[in-house]
């Protein structure tokens, strides 16, 4: 980022290649709509370019770019709420938590599943997507940032603008909610236990 | 015990995500091995993580990536330029400010200097013009008004030019100098010469003295051309078109000579600037001719009366002089001279009897002044609606046209006019101003829809002796105005005069077209069709015999 600020355009290409996909996945899982996610992704990076002069090395680039992305997602969610469109969090049946795949599951790109996960992923993925979509937004963003972007709780606190204890509390609630959601979705504990055995922490 | 469990319970999340320092992590690990609750909680955290962790990433779209990179490249380039030369902005700003400052200083300086130099030049010009005017009639008697002034200015420019060239060591002095109005350098040079005003005055005096030495030789030839020269001075150059313009020129000649100051002792000469010597001769002639003037005046007055009341004289003189398309006062020397003569005669009569010259239009204005009536023939004093005295051209009561236009009369009048040319010029100027004012009033009334006021003003303009285009306008307005007011009889004479005096003008054409339209039958289409039917029937009738045969 410093190189880009100095006028090195190739440095920006490096940043993009490194962070564009993770940022897109975060946005996609946050908003639950692919087209909106693509728009927000482009908007995020444009803002990165325009605001590059304001960036200072005291904060990590990841923290900064996810802050931009998260803020855009929040704004987008507010606009969508005014448009009174069905939330992706709500299942297609219209009731939150009811049976039926969520919109997130409907728009999930099944083809993007890695081949080595096989049938297990093919069955679980939509459920997982749906479980994540069912989380409240503040819990969802914390879970996504920690679990998939690898951002620490302290940085998440900077991104979301809350203190660290709040972030951790939201994370506990998110994990608890996901666990219950998986149970509601029929993901048996055996699978979870088996899966937990492979978790390295 | 519970406290210990809760103490570590908060750290389980950090422990599960590996964010605890090593020593704390070891402590939590030791606690978890011994605490079932914490162990269960930790197991749940890890279980959820293990289920969600393998969730695959979705590939980012390529759409918009190229444009994003291009935008970033442009941004980086701009940032690079700013970083490399940040001082450029300051330099540019300073340069702009400096440029503006310089321009402002130059403008202020120029504005301060220009008026001074201009005023000094004007004062110097007036002084030298005053002196040059005293040189005598030999210098182009009928020259244009600013000739002496122009000569002085030219001399001054030449001097300045010479001095500048001498300084620069440039082209020879006889090279034509630049026009002062557009040459800033010239203005500067003129400003430099302010201090040499005395030198210029001295030079002018020397020149004047030289001219005056030559002056005695000139008057020998002057008497021969005094009369025509005087006429020319009244009516302008021999190429000048109109008497009123000539009067204006002579008037402007007079105005070019200042009044007062050292010239106060020669006021009369200044009053006839440019004609000092000739003025004396003209005065002498005036005395000789004064005796004969009285009888001439009487005869002239009667002629002018006819001219004012009949509309043929000017038309005849105008039509006889040239085929002119316009208003007839700007073509030909004779035409202009004739118009000027009429102007002069009118003023003469006006001097004798102020009401006489304005009788014509007043004849149609109720009530005519009593002074005008006794001196005019009875027919000219008829009521507006009555058949007017018909002139040779068959016009009604119109000023400045006569059926008995005496072409010899202007010759006799010329002599007296010559002697009072300056006063006549002044009167002519005043007359023209009055005419212009009246026409302006007529236009204003027309714009406001006041027809009566328009007609009144037009008639006053005619009374004031409108000539040329002014006369045409006044006639047109009177014609249109009276027709609009329904006074067709009154309108007719003005319309007729317009048609006769200014036949080729647009105004005359309008009037002619309007008359044609009035003469045409106003029946609607059927009437026109009936005309066609008549023609067709007539044609059919003609064809019948042929067909029968």
């Amino acid at each position: 980022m410093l190189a880009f600020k100095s006028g090195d355009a190739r440095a920006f290409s490096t940043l993009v290649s490194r962070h564009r996909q993770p940022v897109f996945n975060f946005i996609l899982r946050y908003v639950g709509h692919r087209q909106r996610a693509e728009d927000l992704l482009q908007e995020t990076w444009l803002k990165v370019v325009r605001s590059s002069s304001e960036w200072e090395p005291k904060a990590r680039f990841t923290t900064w770019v996810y802050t931009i992305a998260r803020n855009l997602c929040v704004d987008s969610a507010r606009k969508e709420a005014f448009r009174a469109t069905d939330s992706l969090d709500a299942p297609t049946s219209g009731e939150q938590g009811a049976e039926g795949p969520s919109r997130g599951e409907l728009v999930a790109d099944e083809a993007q599943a890695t081949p080595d996960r096989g049938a297990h992923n093919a069955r679980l993925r939509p459920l997982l997507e749906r479980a994540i979509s069912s989380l409240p937004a503040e819990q969802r963003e914390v879970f996504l940032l920690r679990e998939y972007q690898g951002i620490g709780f302290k940085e998440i606190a900077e991104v979301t603008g809350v203190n660290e204890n709040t972030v951790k509390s939201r994370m506990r609630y998110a994990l608890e909610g996901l666990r219950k959601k998986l149970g509601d979705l029929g993901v048996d504990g055996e699978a979870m236990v088996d899966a937990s055995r492979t978790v390295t922490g | 015990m519970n406290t210990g469990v809760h103490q570590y319970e908060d750290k389980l999340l950090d422990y599960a995500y590996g964010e605890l320092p090593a020593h704390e992590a070891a402590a939590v690990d030791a606690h978890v091995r011994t605490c079932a609750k914490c162990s269960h909680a930790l197991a749940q955290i890890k279980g959820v993580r293990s289920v969600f962790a393998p969730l695959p990433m979705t590939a980012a779209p390529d759409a918009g990536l190229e444009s994003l990179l291009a935008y970033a490249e442009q941004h980086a380039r701009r940032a690079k330029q700013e970083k490399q030369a940040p001082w450029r902005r300051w330099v540019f700003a300073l340069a702009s400010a400096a440029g503006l400052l310089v321009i402002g200083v130059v403008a202020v300086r120029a504005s301060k200097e220009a008026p001074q130099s201009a005023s000094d030049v004007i004062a110097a010009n007036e002084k030298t013009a005053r002196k040059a005017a005293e040189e005598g009639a030999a210098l182009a008697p009928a020259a244009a008004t600013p000739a002496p002034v122009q000569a002085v200015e030219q001399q001054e420019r030449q001097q300045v030019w010479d001095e500048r060239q001498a300084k620069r060591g440039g082209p020879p002095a006889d090279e034509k100098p630049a026009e002062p109005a557009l040459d800033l350098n010239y203005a500067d040079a003129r400003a430099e010469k302010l201090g040499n005003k005395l030198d210029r005055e001295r030079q002018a005096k020397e020149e004047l003295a030289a001219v005056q030495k030559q002056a005695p030789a000139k008057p020998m030839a002057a008497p021969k051309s005094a009369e025509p020269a005087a006429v020319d001075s009244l009516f302008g150059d021999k190429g000048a078109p109109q008497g009123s313009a000539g009067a204006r020129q002579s008037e402007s000649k007079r105005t070019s000579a200042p009044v007062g100051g050292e010239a106060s002792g020669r006021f009369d000469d200044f009053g006839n600037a440019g004609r000092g010597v000739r003025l004396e001769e003209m005065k002498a002639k005036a005395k000789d001719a004064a005796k004969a003037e009285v009888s001439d005046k009487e005869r002239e007055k009667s002629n002018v009366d006819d001219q004012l009341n009949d509309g043929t004289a000017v038309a005849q003189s105008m039509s006889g002089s040239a085929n002119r398309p316009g208003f007839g006062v700007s073509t030909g020397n004779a035409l202009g001279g004739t118009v000027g003569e009429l102007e002069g005669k009118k003023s003469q009569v006006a001097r004798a009897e102020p009401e006489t010259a304005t009788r014509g239009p007043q004849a149609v204005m109720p009530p005519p002044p009593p002074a005008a009536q006794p001196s005019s023939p009875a027919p000219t004093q008829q009521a507006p609606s009555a058949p007017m005295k018909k002139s040779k051209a068959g016009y009604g009561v119109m000023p400045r046209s006569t059926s008995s236009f005496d072409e010899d009369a202007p010759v006799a009048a010329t002599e007296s006019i010559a002697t009072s040319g300056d006063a006549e010029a002044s009167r002519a100027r005043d007359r023209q101003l009055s005419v212009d004012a009246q026409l302006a009033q007529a236009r204003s009334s027309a714009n406001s829809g006041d027809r009566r006021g328009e007609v009144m003003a037009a008639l006053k303009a005619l009374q004031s002796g409108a000539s040329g285009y002014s006369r045409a306008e006044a006639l047109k307005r009177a014609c249109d105005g009276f027709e609009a007011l329904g006074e067709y009889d009154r309108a007719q004479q003005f319309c007729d005069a317009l048609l006769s005096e200014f036949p080729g003008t647009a105004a005359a054409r309008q009037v002619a077209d309007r008359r044609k339209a009035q003469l045409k039958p106003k029946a609607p289409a059927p009437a026109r069709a009936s005309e066609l039917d008549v023609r067709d029937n007539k044609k059919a009738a003609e064809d019948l015999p042929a067909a029968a045969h």
Side-chain angles (χ1 to χ4, degrees):
Chain A
M1 193 61 193
L2 283 172
F4 177 63
K5 278 185 68 174
S6 302
D8 186 0
R10 289 178 298 178
F12 185 80
S13 300
T14 305
L15 287 172
V16 169
S17 63
R18 191 181 300 168
H19 297 281
R20 192 162 183 263
Q21 184 172 352
V23 171
F24 175 68
N25 278 269
F26 166 74
I27 295 172
L28 178 62
R29 287 167 181 167
Y30 189 102
V31 298
H33 191 283
R34 187 176 181 87
Q35 187 59 48
R36 278 171 50 202
E38 289 180 3
D39 297 340
L40 290 170
L41 176 67
Q42 188 73 358
E43 199 172 332
T44 299
W45 285 103
L46 288 174
K47 202 164 184 179
V48 167
V49 174
R50 286 193 289 264
S51 306
S52 59
S53 58
E54 301 169 5
W55 181 80
E56 294 178 4
K58 64 180 180 182
R60 289 180 61 185
F61 173 76
T62 52
T63 307
W64 186 59
V65 70
Y66 280 107
T67 303
I68 295 173
R70 181 255 175 189
N71 291 336
L72 289 172
C73 290
V74 169
D75 295 339
S76 175
R78 286 204 196 104
K79 290 176 188 175
E80 291 302 314
F82 284 125
R83 289 181 193 172
T85 55
D86 292 339
S87 170
L88 286 172
D89 294 339
T92 52
S93 61
E95 294 180 10
Q96 189 168 5
E99 293 297 329
S102 68
R103 292 188 186 278
E105 294 172 354
L106 290 175
V107 299
D109 187 2
E110 294 291 341
Q112 296 295 331
T114 55
D116 55 346
R117 295 294 176 182
H120 182 73
N121 287 338
R123 188 176 72 87
L124 278 178
R125 185 173 177 180
L127 299 175
L128 299 178
E129 297 278 356
R130 188 176 176 181
I132 293 173
S133 299
S134 65
L135 289 175
E138 61 272 14
Q139 294 176 16
R140 191 184 330 135
E141 65 184 1
V142 172
F143 177 79
L144 292 173
L145 287 170
R146 187 64 192 90
E147 190 63 42
Y148 296 104
Q149 269 60 54
I151 299 176
F153 292 118
K154 187 177 180 182
E155 288 183 46
I156 293 174
E158 295 176 9
V159 172
T160 58
V162 297
N163 61 41
E164 190 176 350
N165 289 333
T166 305
V167 171
K168 291 179 182 176
S169 174
R170 289 179 180 176
M171 188 65 181
R172 288 192 209 99
Y173 285 116
L175 290 169
E176 183 66 23
L178 287 172
R179 191 180 64 78
K180 289 180 179 177
K181 189 67 177 178
L182 287 173
D184 296 337
L185 292 175
V187 177
D188 55 6
E190 184 179 0
M192 290 175 63
V193 170
D194 292 337
S196 66
R197 287 186 187 143
T198 62
V199 171
T200 58
Chain B
M1 301 296 283
N2 288 336
T3 305
V5 169
H6 291 287
Q7 177 184 0
Y8 285 105
E9 189 174 1
D10 294 339
K11 295 183 182 180
L12 290 176
L13 192 63
D14 293 327
Y15 177 77
Y17 280 95
E19 292 192 10
L20 284 176
H23 64 282
E24 289 188 21
V28 171
D29 185 63
H31 172 79
V32 166
R33 291 174 192 281
T34 60
C35 178
K37 187 178 181 182
C38 293
S39 175
H40 180 69
L42 184 61
Q44 286 179 337
I45 293 172
K46 287 183 178 181
V48 172
R49 287 196 64 203
S50 62
V51 171
F52 282 94
L55 193 62
M57 296 273 259
T58 305
D62 293 330
L65 181 59
E66 288 183 9
S67 61
L68 172 67
L69 294 175
Y71 179 65
E73 187 176 352
Q74 183 185 6
H75 188 90
R77 200 181 311 124
R78 199 160 40 233
K80 198 174 186 178
Q81 289 173 356
E82 288 181 2
K83 189 181 179 184
Q84 284 175 353
W87 52 268
R88 285 186 183 176
R89 278 184 290 174
W90 293 106
V91 169
F92 180 75
L94 286 173
S96 302
L100 289 172
L101 187 64
V102 167
I103 291 170
V105 167
V106 169
V108 168
R109 195 178 293 176
S111 63
K112 283 181 181 175
E113 288 179 357
Q116 290 177 1
S117 62
S119 61
D120 290 338
V121 167
I122 290 169
N125 283 342
E126 286 179 353
K127 226 172 190 178
T128 52
R130 200 184 312 142
K131 288 167 186 170
E134 299 170 6
E135 292 175 8
L139 297 176
T145 302
V149 178
Q150 284 180 355
V152 172
E153 287 182 348
Q154 184 65 25
Q155 288 175 1
E156 289 180 346
R157 283 203 296 271
Q158 187 65 39
Q159 291 171 12
V160 171
W161 179 259
D162 294 345
E163 291 175 8
R164 281 171 62 202
Q165 292 303 329
K167 275 186 183 178
R168 296 174 184 173
D174 57 354
E175 186 174 331
K176 195 169 184 181
E179 287 300 322
L182 300 177
D183 188 354
L184 291 178
N185 292 332
Y186 176 73
D188 293 338
R190 299 273 336 232
E192 293 175 1
K193 299 311 158 195
L194 293 177
N196 297 329
K197 244 190 335 183
L198 292 175
D199 293 337
R200 285 203 298 273
E201 291 176 6
R202 182 169 50 79
Q203 283 182 353
K205 284 181 183 175
E206 291 172 2
E207 289 168 4
L208 179 61
V211 169
Q212 285 176 347
K213 284 178 187 175
Q214 299 173 8
K218 299 293 172 71
M220 299 301 292
K224 295 180 184 177
S225 61
E227 291 182 16
V231 173
D232 290 340
S233 69
L234 174 62
F235 300 118
D237 286 335
K238 292 243 176 194
Q242 43 192 330
S244 59
R248 284 196 213 100
Q249 285 181 356
S250 59
E251 172 61 25
S252 58
K253 265 190 192 175
R254 188 172 69 241
T255 54
S256 66
V259 177
E262 62 179 359
S264 58
R266 294 179 288 173
F267 178 76
D268 291 340
D269 290 341
F270 285 132
N272 297 281
R275 286 174 280 158
V277 174
R278 198 157 43 116
L279 174 64
E280 300 299 328
E281 297 173 358
M282 287 195 294
K283 283 182 179 176
K285 272 206 170 290
K287 288 176 185 174
D288 296 337
K291 295 175 185 175
E293 186 181 349
V294 175
S295 59
D296 290 340
K297 269 190 181 178
E298 292 296 327
R299 184 158 56 90
E300 186 61 25
K301 195 168 62 173
S302 63
N303 291 336
V304 171
D305 288 345
D306 293 337
Q307 292 174 24
L308 290 172
N309 295 324
D310 198 297
T312 56
V314 174
Q316 285 179 350
S317 61
M318 287 180 181
S319 60
S321 62
N323 292 323
R324 48 172 175 74
F327 296 135
V329 290
S330 59
T331 58
N333 302 332
L335 177 63
T338 306
V339 172
E341 289 161 1
L342 286 174
E343 295 275 359
K345 277 187 287 184
K346 273 185 65 178
S347 63
Q348 258 187 301
V349 174
R351 266 179 275 127
E353 294 177 356
E355 299 299 330
T356 305
T358 62
R359 198 172 347 103
Q362 286 181 350
V364 300
M365 299 290 296
Q373 296 179 9
S375 59
S376 62
T380 63
Q381 298 306 311
Q382 288 178 1
S385 58
M388 310 310 294
K389 173 184 175 185
K390 297 297 181 184
S391 65
K392 287 182 183 177
Y395 301 126
V397 175
M398 292 306 306
R400 304 181 61 209
S401 48
T402 177
S403 58
S404 58
F405 179 73
D406 187 349
E407 295 186 355
D408 294 332
V411 175
T414 299
E415 296 177 354
S416 58
I417 289 172
T419 60
S420 60
D422 300 320
E424 174 56 29
S426 173
R427 278 191 288 276
R429 182 169 59 93
D430 295 338
R431 195 163 45 238
Q432 186 62 35
L433 290 174
S434 173
V435 167
D436 293 340
Q438 295 300 335
L439 288 177
Q441 176 64 33
R443 293 182 202 114
S444 174
S445 298
N447 290 338
S448 60
D450 180 12
R451 280 292 188 177
R452 179 69 63 180
E454 179 188 3
V455 168
M456 297 279 288
L459 294 177
K460 285 180 184 176
L462 291 169
Q463 287 178 8
S464 300
S467 63
Y469 180 78
S470 302
R471 178 175 172 76
E473 182 183 352
L475 291 173
K476 179 69 164 57
R477 289 191 181 276
C479 169
D480 293 344
F482 276 124
E483 285 195 359
L485 292 170
E487 300 177 16
Y488 296 103
D489 293 331
R490 289 186 181 184
Q492 184 181 358
Q493 56 185 335
F494 295 101
C495 300
D496 291 342
L498 178 65
L499 289 171
S500 65
E501 294 180 28
F502 308 100
T505 60
R509 281 199 295 274
Q510 283 179 14
V511 172
D513 292 341
R514 192 164 65 226
R515 282 191 170 179
K516 286 179 188 173
Q518 288 170 354
L519 290 174
K520 276 185 182 176
K522 293 182 181 178
R528 193 179 299 177
S530 68
E531 289 182 356
L532 294 172
D533 292 339
V534 168
R535 284 207 294 272
D536 291 341
N537 292 336
K538 189 177 177 184
K539 189 172 186 301
E542 290 173 356
D543 292 338
L544 276 176
H549 287 101

